[in-house]
């Protein structure tokens, strides 16, 4: 089976292709497309994900962000410092525990988070324009269920 892209696979090739490979290759393709758009916004995919998480609350403990994104504390600190240098978040000591930090999204960060969500929606609308909404919903449910099953393996 020779190919350069999963879009080159025939239906017969798909029968022999491990599902994990298809997911990884699709993820790679999605990330390339998304990173191209994010570069225009001066963001990385990781920074955009941080903003989306932080934007869910008025402010969040840094340790909670680490748990949500499954990223170690030192890496979270480094990423948040980069976001802070771009005026996208504010980091301050937790008034209840000065050894911990609280992270708050700025108006600029909120706007960037919304732009990121809009970018994803534009890409998805283009990708799924020829699909029925029921098919899209079934795909999302299937992906969620697969995610649960893979999570249970660990």
């Amino acid at each position: 089976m020779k190919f350069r892209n999963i879009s080159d696979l025939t239906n017969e090739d798909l029968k022999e292709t491990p599902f994990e490979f298809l997911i990884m290759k699709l993820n790679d393709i999605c990330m390339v497309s998304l990173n191209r758009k994010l570069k225009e916004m001066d963001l990385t995919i990781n920074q955009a994900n941080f903003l989306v998480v932080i934007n869910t609350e008025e402010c969040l403990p840094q340790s909670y962000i680490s748990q949500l994104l499954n990223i170690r504390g030192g890496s979270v600190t480094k990423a948040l410092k980069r976001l802070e240098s771009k005026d996208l978040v504010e980091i301050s000591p937790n008034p209840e525990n000065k050894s911990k930090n609280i992270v708050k999204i700025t108006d600029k960060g909120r706007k960037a988070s919304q732009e990121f969500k809009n970018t994803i929606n534009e890409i998805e609308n283009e990708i799924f324009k020829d699909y029925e909404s029921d098919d899209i919903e079934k795909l999302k449910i299937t992906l969620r269920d697969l995610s649960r099953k893979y999570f249970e393996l660990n």
Side-chain angles (χ1 to χ4, degrees), residues 4 9 18 20 24 46 54 61 67-68 70-72 75 97 106 110 114 116 118 145 154:
R4 293 178 182 248
L9 292 173
E20 289 80 1
M24 287 187 302
N46 289 336
I54 296 165
Q67 288 174 341
L68 286 175
N70 197 25
I71 301 173
R72 292 188 180 187
S75 298
N97 182 349
T106 64
R110 198 171 278 109
Q114 189 57 52
F116 174 62
N118 291 343
D145 293 347
N154 295 322

Side-chain angles (χ1 to χ4, degrees), residues 46-102:
N46 289 336
Q47 290 171 337
N49 282 332
F50 270 83
L51 289 176
V52 169
V53 166
I54 296 165
N55 197 29
T56 61
E57 301 286 337
E58 183 64 32
C59 58
L60 289 172
Q62 185 171 324
S63 57
Y64 186 61
I65 296 167
S66 178
Q67 288 174 341
L68 286 175
L69 294 173
N70 197 25
I71 301 173
R72 292 188 180 187
S75 298
V76 170
T77 300
K78 198 173 188 180
L80 289 173
K81 293 279 185 199
R82 286 189 187 122
L83 291 173
E84 187 177 43
S85 72
K86 295 180 179 188
D87 297 320
L88 299 170
V89 300
E90 294 173 354
I91 304 169
S92 57
N94 185 336
E96 297 170 12
N97 182 349
K98 301 285 186 201
S99 67
K100 307 278 183 184
N101 287 330
I102 294 288

Side-chain angles (χ1 to χ4, degrees), residues 11 13-15 35 44 51 54 67-68 73-74 79 83 89 98 105 111 122 130 138 148:
N11 287 349
D13 290 335
L14 282 174
K15 292 177 185 175
N35 277 322
T44 65
L51 289 176
I54 296 165
Q67 288 174 341
L68 286 175
L83 291 173
V89 300
K98 301 285 186 201
I105 195 162
K111 182 180 176 193
E122 288 170 15
D130 297 328
K138 286 177 189 172
R148 284 180 180 161

